Amino acid sequence: QDSLKSGFGIELGPEETLYQACLLFAAVVEHACGALLCLPAAVPALGVPAAVAAALARHAALCEFGYELSDCLVKVCDVLLCEGGRRRNPGPVLVLTVLHHFLAVSLVPPMNVHCPALAPYHEAVGSLQAAAGLALATQFYGYTVDVTAPGGLLRIKAVTLMVTGVLGYSRTVAYASQARRIFAEMPSEAPRWLVRLAAGGGLLMALFNLLIVMDLAKKCAKFLPMRPGQAPAPGPPVRYGQKEAKAE
C-alpha cells in the first residue's frame, strides 16, 4: 500500500492491494516464462538453430501479448460489470495499464508477421521480460523484510540496489539502445503504419519507464541513507477480509 501510494499516488485498501499483488505475481510467472523462451536467441552459444531461436522469441512475445491483453479485458470487465471494480482499479492503475500494455498489445502480432527475424526485437522482448520478472520477484521479497529486525535494513538496501540496477538499466540505457536498433534495422518492406505504431507505443512505454525511474529514485532516497534506529516500526498486521481498524 505504501509503495503504491508514495510511488504512483495510488491509494488502495488491504483487499484491493491483495488483488493487485496477485495480478503482479502472475506477471512474474509470465515474464519468467517469456525470458526463458528468449534465452536461445540471446545466447547463440547454446547451439539452438537461428530459425528455432527466433520462433521461440516470437512465442515469448506472444506470451506477453496474451497476458497483457487478458489483463486489459479483466480490468475492463471488472470496472464495468463487477461490484467494487472501480475501487480495485482506480484511475491511476488504468493509466499505468494503458502506458505499459499498449506496446505489446498493439505491436506483437504485426511485428511477428512483418519482422519475424529482427534480432533487436527479440533482444528487447527478452531483456524487458527478464528484467521485469527478476525485479518484481525481488521486490516481492523486499515487501516481506522487516527493516527493524537484525539484518533487515541491510537486506532492504540490497533489494533496493538490485531492483534499481536491473530496472534502471533495462528501462533507460537498454531500452533506448534496443529501440534505436529496431528502427534502424526494421526491414524496408515493413509497412509505414507499423513504423508509426511502433513509435507511438515506444513513446508510451518511455513515459511508463520514466515513472518507474522516478519511483526507484524515491526508494533509494528513502532506504539507502537510513541507519539502524531510524527505520519506522512496522504497522499492525491487517487481516484480509476485515476492515482496517480506524485510529481513535
Side-chain angles (χ1 to χ4, degrees):
Q1 286 175 280
D2 291 341
S3 180
L4 289 172
K5 184 176 180 179
S6 62
F8 303 101
I10 299 173
E11 296 191 39
L12 298 174
E15 292 289 347
E16 292 76 29
T17 302
L18 177 62
Y19 174 80
Q20 294 296 338
C22 290
L23 293 180
L24 285 176
F25 193 79
V28 172
V29 176
E30 185 279 318
H31 282 95
C33 293
L36 289 174
L37 285 172
C38 288
L39 194 59
V43 187
L46 293 176
V48 178
V52 175
L56 291 174
R58 292 194 298 272
H59 277 76
L62 286 174
C63 287
E64 183 76 359
F65 166 79
Y67 168 75
E68 295 186 359
L69 179 61
S70 67
D71 187 49
C72 290
L73 294 175
V74 166
K75 281 182 168 57
V76 169
C77 291
D78 194 28
V79 169
L80 296 179
L81 304 176
C82 300
E83 182 180 355
R86 292 185 181 276
R87 188 174 65 252
R88 286 187 292 272
N89 302 279
V93 169
L94 299 179
V95 170
L96 289 175
T97 299
V98 171
L99 291 177
H100 181 272
H101 289 4
F102 183 85
L103 186 66
V105 171
S106 64
L107 271 182
V108 165
M111 286 293 290
N112 279 4
V113 171
H114 295 286
C115 309
L118 187 60
Y121 166 54
H122 304 157
E123 179 183 326
V125 171
S127 171
L128 288 173
Q129 295 212 64
L134 178 60
L136 277 173
T138 306
Q139 188 65 68
F140 270 115
Y141 167 73
Y143 293 144
T144 70
V145 175
D146 178 2
V147 294
T148 63
L153 185 56
L154 182 60
R155 289 197 295 272
I156 200 64
K157 287 185 177 184
V159 166
T160 301
L161 286 173
M162 180 175 179
V163 172
T164 300
V166 171
L167 278 185
Y169 176 78
S170 67
R171 296 283 172 178
T172 56
V173 177
Y175 181 81
S177 173
Q178 291 156 0
R180 180 188 61 79
R181 290 176 56 209
I182 286 172
F183 285 109
E185 300 179 27
M186 189 174 288
S188 57
E189 61 271 16
R192 299 306 302 171
W193 61 262
L194 179 58
V195 177
R196 290 192 288 269
L197 187 62
L203 179 60
L204 291 180
M205 182 62 83
L207 292 175
F208 179 85
N209 293 345
L210 177 61
L211 293 175
I212 291 296
V213 171
M214 291 170 60
D215 180 54
L216 294 173
K218 290 178 183 178
K219 285 185 169 63
C220 287
K222 176 181 179 180
F223 290 113
L224 296 186
M226 195 176 288
R227 297 179 180 277
Q230 293 180 326
V238 175
R239 295 183 182 277
Y240 292 97
Q242 299 179 2
K243 295 182 179 180
E244 289 178 283
K246 295 183 179 180
E248 297 181 358

